[in-house]
Amino acid sequence: MGTFKFSMRMLVKDYKKSLFYGITLIFAVAVCFVFFNIINNPDLADQAIAKSGGTWNDVQMPFSSVLSFLIICFCCFMIFFANNFFLSRKTTELAIMAMSGSGYINSTMYVLYQTFTLLLLATPLGILIGRGVVPFSNAYMYQMLGVHKDPSIIPSEAYIYSFVLVAIVLSMICVLTAGFLHKNDIQTLLSQEKEMKVKRNTKKSVSITFIAIYILGIVMMFMNPHEATAYIVPTLVGLGGAVGMIRYVLPDVVRNLKRGVFLTKRYVLISISNLNYSIQRSLLLFSLMTVAVTGMLAILAANIHSPREFTTGVIGYVVVIVLLVVSIIYKLSMEAMTRRKLFLNLWKIGYTRKELRKIVGQEVISYYLILIFIPLVYIAFISGRFIYYGDMTYSFAFLYALSYIIPIIISGFITYFQYLNAVVKPIKGGE
């Protein structure tokens, strides 16, 4: 069987492994199309020129265009992240191909055929979805700016740049895929799912340092002038402290709890160990979520009276939250599949299905509570500062917090049921 036919057969057979990648591609293309429209919309650009009383050379680039460009870059990053996760799910197949005598080129083409097929399907679907969203975003901004134009008219540049971006992304994926297969031998590919080792025995002074850095970020908010950009550095400082606590302090806390109060609690003992591992594997997503929700809050508050910038910010915020939430759900769901043997062994030694569900529930609830808490502290302080200066209402702050918490809660329920389907449902036996 040829490499192309084999790759297509495996793509269809193991479609679940490609589901997250395909959804990410479709959503990212749709988002990029929407923001290319905002950047290249001549009616919105004309308004900026008219208000300035000059020409293009006299007009500074609107903040909405800068934000649109950043969102497009973020979508590209999430595509590369999804591609990396897609490759990590293919390591066993690639190792088997290598052991069967398949060469480096054939293994590379095997993955690229699947990637190209997914992009070929995702690009028109994404543009079609973006084409359906653009008239609504245009209508809102036209109404706020007093522009009397047909909102369904989309500049041709949006189509052109979207296809160009897909071509650039595909070329980058080819390079990344080739590099991934070149640096990983058979043994490495077969051990991709091996549990990550976490740093142990962190000194007490190191723990105190990271906690202090997290608190310092909050203190810095009150030391800086009241501007949207003034919250960037404090947030990054606090994020550094939060990542340090999760990476270095949390393993020690978990180990001490397992030796102490949780030693006789057989449910918690297992769930907290899985929780520690899951969080360690999600450091990047935790970091992106914290920066995104705190940064977008400052941007929206600073541009609440600028329709184009505010609308762009709202769309961007929704995009970021959806991409990150979907990534977290899929990552946890895939990791749950690697724990089937663990839960099967627990059932064999006497744990009931009810007890196994309790272990899953404790892990998922704790994971999402931590995900909510870390950014929420900074959301509260940033909102408080804007409210104090009269630039934000209590209702806006409350709605913003809800718009972050509710998707996280929904994703928690989805993760919980997918987790159960992966590790408890396959077990045949009584309660």
Side-chain angles (χ1 to χ4, degrees), residues 71-237:
I71 296 297
I72 291 171
C73 291
F74 179 81
C75 288
C76 292
F77 173 82
M78 292 306 298
I79 290 176
F80 296 139
F81 175 83
N83 178 71
N84 183 65
F85 204 80
F86 177 70
L87 287 174
S88 70
R89 300 296 100 185
K90 295 289 181 179
T91 51
T92 302
E93 299 170 30
L94 295 171
I96 293 174
M97 289 181 64
M99 289 187 291
S100 301
S102 180
Y104 167 73
I105 295 179
N106 285 338
S107 298
T108 303
M109 294 307 300
Y110 169 82
V111 178
L112 292 182
Y113 283 143
Q114 294 185 346
T115 303
F116 181 77
T117 301
L118 291 173
L119 265 175
L120 195 64
L121 296 173
T123 300
L125 286 174
I127 291 179
L128 185 64
I129 293 173
R131 181 66 180 81
V133 173
V134 164
F136 296 99
S137 63
N138 281 349
Y140 175 78
M141 287 187 281
Y142 288 171
Q143 182 180 4
M144 299 300 294
L145 293 172
V147 177
H148 302 287
K149 298 284 186 177
D150 184 358
S152 62
I153 298 177
I154 300 174
S156 59
E157 289 84 355
Y159 295 94
I160 296 172
Y161 291 152
S162 295
F163 283 109
V164 170
L165 182 67
V166 170
I168 294 174
V169 167
L170 180 60
S171 63
M172 290 297 297
I173 288 176
C174 291
V175 174
L176 293 174
T177 301
F180 176 84
L181 295 176
H182 178 72
K183 71 178 182 180
N184 289 291
D185 54 18
I186 296 176
Q187 183 177 359
T188 305
L189 290 171
L190 288 173
S191 62
Q192 284 291 310
E193 298 299 327
K194 186 172 59 178
E195 182 171 338
M196 180 186 65
K197 295 181 180 179
V198 295
K199 188 175 179 65
R200 293 175 175 268
N201 298 323
T202 305
K203 294 181 179 180
K204 187 175 181 180
S205 58
V206 176
S207 302
I208 296 175
T209 299
F210 284 117
I211 295 172
I213 292 174
Y214 183 75
I215 298 175
L216 176 63
I218 299 174
V219 175
M220 288 176 63
M221 292 184 184
F222 297 90
M223 300 169 58
N224 290 319
H226 177 60
E227 298 176 358
T229 55
Y231 298 98
I232 297 176
V233 174
T235 299
L236 293 178
V237 171

Side-chain angles (χ1 to χ4, degrees), residues 20 53 65 104 113 120 143 161 167 187 213 224 234 267 273 276 291 298 313 320 336-337 344 351 358 367 372 427:
F20 165 67
S65 297
Y104 167 73
Y113 283 143
L120 195 64
Q143 182 180 4
Y161 291 152
Q187 183 177 359
I213 292 174
N224 290 319
Y267 308 129
S273 298
N276 179 37
V291 172
V320 169
M337 295 178 66
L344 179 60
Y351 283 82
K358 187 174 181 179
Y367 180 94
I372 290 175
I427 296 176

Side-chain angles (χ1 to χ4, degrees), residues 294-354:
T294 53
M296 292 305 299
L297 173 61
I299 290 172
L300 291 176
N303 295 280
I304 198 168
H305 300 298
S306 304
R308 189 187 190 210
E309 282 71 18
F310 184 78
T311 304
T312 305
V314 170
I315 298 174
Y317 174 70
V318 173
V319 166
V320 169
I321 292 296
V322 170
L323 281 174
L324 289 175
V325 164
V326 171
S327 299
I328 290 172
I329 292 174
Y330 193 78
K331 189 172 183 65
L332 291 179
S333 299
M334 290 296 102
E335 287 180 0
M337 295 178 66
T338 65
R339 296 175 184 165
R340 286 179 176 175
K341 188 174 181 179
L342 168 64
F343 280 82
L344 179 60
N345 290 335
L346 290 175
W347 178 74
K348 287 180 179 180
I349 63 175
Y351 283 82
T352 65
R353 292 165 61 92
K354 183 178 180 180

Side-chain angles (χ1 to χ4, degrees), residues 236-250:
L236 293 178
V237 171
L239 176 62
V243 171
M245 289 191 296
I246 292 174
R247 186 172 183 179
Y248 298 105
V249 181
L250 184 62

